[in-house]
Amino acid sequence: MSDKDNYQFALAEAKKGRAAGGIPIGGALVVDGKVIAVGHNQRVQHGSAIHHAEMNCLENAGRLPATVYQRATMYTTLSPCDMCTGAILLYKIPRVVIGENRTFMGGEELLKSRGVEVIVLDDAESYKLMQDFIVAEPTLWNEDIGEED
C-alpha cells in the first residue's frame, strides 16, 4: 500500500478522536506494509498529559523489539510535537509521514537532522479537520500545544 493509503488509518483515528470529544489528531504505525497499531489523541478522554496521537499509537503497539521500530513508518495527521518527536527518535523510527504542518509545525527539522525521512502530504482533509476544531475549541487546542489563551 502507498503512503496515502496507509495515511488513511491515521486520518480515521483523528476523526474517531474528535467524535469522542477529543482533539482530532491520529496516528498509525506501519511495519513491513502491515499496520501494527493505531491511536489518536486522548488527552481529553484520559485526562492525560501525554496521550498525544503518536504516543497513544506507540502505547497501543505494546512492547516491540528495537528491530521492529527500526523498520517502521509513523503516520500522523499533524506535525509531531517535541514529545512525540522524542519518542520517534528514541525508538529510531526511520520514516514519518505527516498529514499537514500548516496548523502546527513540530520537530520536523530535528527529525531530519537525525536522519529520519520526513514526508508531508499537505492533506486538505486533515487541515480542515484541525481548522474546524480550533474554531470550535480554541482553549482546548492551546492547552494541547502548551500555549496560553
Side-chain angles (χ1 to χ4, degrees), residues 30-78:
V30 176
V31 179
D32 300 332
K34 180 182 175 197
V35 178
I36 300 295
V38 295
H40 56 273
N41 186 305
Q42 293 193 41
R43 291 186 65 250
V44 173
Q45 296 91 324
H46 289 290
S48 170
I50 62 168
H51 268 281
H52 283 198
E54 300 90 339
M55 302 296 282
N56 184 251
C57 181
L58 290 169
E59 173 75 12
N60 291 338
R63 291 178 58 196
L64 298 171
T67 56
V68 173
Y69 293 113
Q70 293 165 11
R71 298 191 321 270
T73 297
M74 174 65 77
Y75 293 85
T76 178
T77 58
L78 189 65

Side-chain angles (χ1 to χ4, degrees), residues 28 31 43 71 78 85 97 109-110 121 128 134 138-139 142:
V31 179
R43 291 186 65 250
R71 298 191 321 270
L78 189 65
T85 293
V97 176
E109 290 306 315
L110 178 57
L121 299 176
K128 182 173 179 357
I134 291 168
T139 301
N142 285 330

Side-chain angles (χ1 to χ4, degrees), residues 1-17:
M1 292 198 342
S2 72
D3 281 336
K4 287 186 179 185
D5 292 330
N6 285 326
Y7 177 73
Q8 296 305 308
F9 293 100
L11 183 56
E13 284 294 305
K15 292 175 183 177
K16 181 178 174 183

